[in-house]
Amino acid sequence: MFFLKQLKRTITVHPSFLSAGMQERIFEKLLADVEGTNTGSYFIICVMDQYDISEGRVIPGSGMIEYMVNFRAVVWKPFKGETLDGIVQQVVANGVFVEVGPLTCFVSRQSIPSDLKFDGNATPPQYTDNAGQVIEKGTQIRVKLVGVRSDIGQMFAVATIKEDYLGPLDGNRSLRDDSKSTTDDSKSTTDDSKSTTDDSKSTVDDSQSTIDDSQSTIDDSQSTTSSHTIC
């Protein structure tokens, strides 16, 4: 779930950047330091604005200048029971790893419907029911979080697709059908090219035969001329 949250951050700036554009420099460093980071409790998606910058404080012994910046940011905090859409990153015998934005979820084999069987001999490995449903790397999938664990700068989650309206999304089948159609078209094009090559070869052979016949006619004419000359 997304929230608009008020946060604080200490920004350290080198004294060489002291100038009239100091506030812009602080804001740029704030964006570089916090956007896309994981605090262990939530992900900071983007900084909306800064609304207060403290007076600078010189750090003894280094000359660096320290500022306390108050800002607002859009954050994402996943909750147990939340339904999310993601993309399959890895398929193994024990389950599936799904990437939901910056969060990686693991769907164990026990949380996958029993009609989907693991096929390790497929390329890439996949779970399939042999009736159109396939879970493989790159598959768009809908999952439900059943647990989230936070750590310092890290977050882990486990999910399930063993409920109604979860699992591979309908668009995957369309993508596979388009891929199959493209493969069939490529094969047809290859067959047409082969047929054209065979036709060209046949034409060359016919041309060679015509040349041989013409050469034979010329030889016969030369023979007849030689006979008339002798007579």
Side-chain angles (χ1 to χ4, degrees):
M1 190 174 295
F2 293 93
F3 300 92
L4 185 60
K5 191 174 180 64
Q6 294 183 356
L7 301 170
K8 293 182 179 181
R9 177 80 176 190
T10 300
I11 300 296
T12 304
V13 179
H14 193 273
S16 62
F17 291 105
L18 290 174
S19 65
M22 191 64 185
Q23 287 196 352
E24 289 77 7
R25 172 62 186 174
I26 292 173
F27 189 61
E28 289 175 0
K29 197 168 191 308
L30 176 68
L31 296 180
D33 288 351
V34 304
E35 281 193 342
T37 60
N38 180 1
T39 66
S41 299
Y42 50 82
F43 296 93
I44 299 178
I45 305 303
C46 70
V47 175
M48 296 296 293
D49 53 26
Q50 61 183 22
Y51 58 87
D52 183 40
I53 301 177
S54 69
E55 292 185 357
R57 185 181 73 88
V58 178
I59 301 175
S62 68
M64 302 290 284
I65 304 168
E66 189 177 73
Y67 295 88
M68 179 62 69
V69 182
N70 294 285
F71 63 98
R72 295 188 305 166
V74 176
V75 303
W76 177 53
K77 181 178 178 63
F79 289 94
K80 179 181 177 180
E82 189 173 1
T83 300
L84 303 166
D85 291 348
I87 298 177
V88 175
Q89 292 299 310
Q90 186 179 6
V91 177
V92 295
N94 293 331
V96 176
F97 290 92
V98 180
E99 188 176 85
V100 182
L103 179 67
T104 298
C105 308
F106 179 68
V107 182
S108 69
R109 180 67 188 88
Q110 289 73 25
S111 298
I112 298 174
S114 58
D115 58 330
L116 292 171
K117 306 296 183 183
F118 178 70
D119 184 2
N121 295 322
T123 305
Q126 59 185 220
Y127 281 90
T128 178
D129 61 356
N130 296 317
Q133 272 201 330
V134 176
I135 299 177
E136 60 187 11
K137 183 177 181 180
T139 297
Q140 298 177 358
I141 192 171
R142 181 163 292 159
V143 301
K144 181 179 180 180
L145 300 184
V146 296
V148 179
R149 181 169 66 88
S150 299
D151 203 345
I152 299 175
Q154 294 181 316
M155 194 177 296
F156 309 93
V158 290
T160 181
I161 60 172
K162 210 171 184 178
E163 293 184 14
D164 293 339
Y165 309 110
L166 300 180
L169 301 179
D170 292 338
N172 295 306
R173 183 177 299 182
S174 176
L175 291 174
R176 287 194 299 272
D177 291 342
D178 291 343
S179 178
K180 182 178 179 181
S181 176
T182 301
T183 302
D184 292 339
D185 290 342
S186 298
K187 183 177 179 181
S188 176
T189 301
T190 301
D191 292 339
D192 291 342
S193 298
K194 183 178 179 181
S195 176
T196 302
T197 302
D198 292 340
D199 291 341
S200 298
K201 183 177 179 181
S202 176
T203 302
V204 171
D205 292 340
D206 291 341
S207 298
Q208 184 64 42
S209 176
T210 302
I211 293 172
D212 292 340
D213 291 341
S214 299
Q215 183 66 39
S216 176
T217 301
I218 292 172
D219 293 340
D220 291 341
S221 298
Q222 287 179 349
S223 177
T224 302
T225 302
S226 300
S227 299
H228 289 165
T229 302
I230 294 172
C231 293

